[in-house]
Amino acid sequence: MDKTNLSFLLEGSLKISQEILFSDVKLKIKFNKWTSIIGVSGSGKSTLLKIIAGMDLPDVFKSTIKSSNKNYSFSWMAQNDLLLPWASVINNVTLGQKLRGEKLDKERALSLLDQVGLINEVNALPSTLSGGMRQRVALARTLMEDKNIILMDEPFSALDSITRSAMQKLTWKLLKDKTVIMVTHDPLEALLLSNDLYYIIKNKLRSIKLPNSKPFRTVNDENLLYSHKFILNKLEKSYIR
Amino acid sequence: MNYFYKYLFSFIIFITIWWLIQYITDSPSYILPSPYRVFLSIKNNLNLLAYHSIITFLEILVGFILGLIFGMYTGILFIISKSMRKWMLPFIVLTQAIPVFAIAPILTLWIGYGIWSKIIMTVLIIYFPITIAFYDGLKRIDPMIINLAKMMGANTFSMLLKIRIPFALPQLSSGLKLAAAFAPMGAVIGEWVGSSEGLGYLMLYASGRVQIDLMFSSIIILAIFTILLYNFVSYVSNIITRWDPKSHIN
């Protein structure tokens, strides 16, 4: 296989009004791997993800970030599950097909709902579900779309710690062979799940050497704890300027 | 049923106060007729009232439906076309700056004494609240949901039909309820300015002949129309916004 097809590169810089958010971003995304970006609140990490997705940004942002390939399709999973409140679980999962006017693949939707443990809630409305269940519906919807690249904007940060841990394992299980770009403020989460890890410090995007073990890592991994401490130190310094 | 009793209770209170005022002030019946006299008048003029009521009811109903269609259509145009929103919105606000009372005689002059000038009056009165409420609803939506739908490959039409319009239903419901309360006003104003039938006409006719009890009968029937229309609209609103907890507080 041609080597250039195994990854793509994002380069450029981003300004908000006159202030620089990122200068000289160089982000290499490898296919079928998880790439995570850690940064404190307001560091522009979510904006970076929106740029990758090609979303419209408010006029105050000025971006020169270019991607080496534009033919990818994306799906999106965020902290807010973005479920349609009037649609049942199954209708939310098949939303993409409905919007495109395609024939609904109910069988596949049901099998995905089974995988995320919601086979008994197929006809429930989102408002009757817990936060964790809603996020699992969003996960099933993301999988249903089957796009090249999955973008995740702090997908677990609104969940309680037990649910979050379970969700991280489930998401990893279902998405481990996909190309995922995840933005998070939680260094531990990023260390557990990532193949490649970047952090944002002083308007720069830097990569971090990860422990040799493969994700999904265990929390008692000594190298992981060392990396965790290292990231926290760096990020704290960037916070107290 | 509970709902029905609430209305019955308000009705009894209203009749009692009316009767008390009439009793205490001892007004002659050509100034303030007693509830009983009005009841008798409704009974004696049933055919007359029914005839004029049907006309007014028709004007309200057709006006309401047309106003709803035009209002929703304009709201959708504003969302999908930036230039429409830029050029049409000020124009619509401008039309609202002219009092409908001032437009009514012109409409009668242009369209005639028939039912259509009243229907158009009704449309004019409810068009604005429906347009603005619906447009606001279509606009007030989490931009991330729009982004998500775009990523999923939604086109303008499926975005409207499957995302924006359902999200706008709670706001549209508010507009509909306002419209239900205003619509009878439009029809009656139209009838006052120039007509030979309808409850508005009957009010003027009765007032001219000092048949105040007949005038009160017309007002009561009009009030009942308004309450019925409002409740029907509320009922439909509750069904279409069942999923929205914010639309349902006890």
Side-chain angles (χ1 to χ4, degrees), chain A residues 50 53 55-56 74-76 80 82-86 95-96 98-100 125 141 145 147, chain B residues 142 144-145 147-155 158-159 162-164 166-167 242-243 245:
Chain A
K50 285 178 186 163
M55 289 181 191
D56 298 329
F74 299 95
S75 59
W76 183 267
N80 176 347
L82 303 173
L83 298 180
L84 302 182
W86 60 85
L95 176 68
K98 275 206 185 110
L99 288 171
R100 293 186 294 272
L125 284 184
R141 182 186 60 196
E145 283 300 285
K147 297 285 170 73
Chain B
D142 183 349
M144 282 315 292
I145 289 192
N147 278 324
L148 183 81
K150 272 188 198 162
M151 253 187 228
M152 288 176 160
N155 56 35
S158 64
M159 179 85 86
K162 301 210 159 77
I163 309 272
R164 281 199 191 267
F167 262 115
R242 195 170 275 160
W243 51 271

Side-chain angles (χ1 to χ4, degrees), chain B residues 191-195 199-209 215:
Chain B
E191 287 169 355
W192 278 346
V193 171
S195 69
L199 287 174
Y201 162 77
L202 194 62
M203 277 178 215
L204 285 187
Y205 172 89
S207 151
R209 281 156 189 76
M215 194 176 158

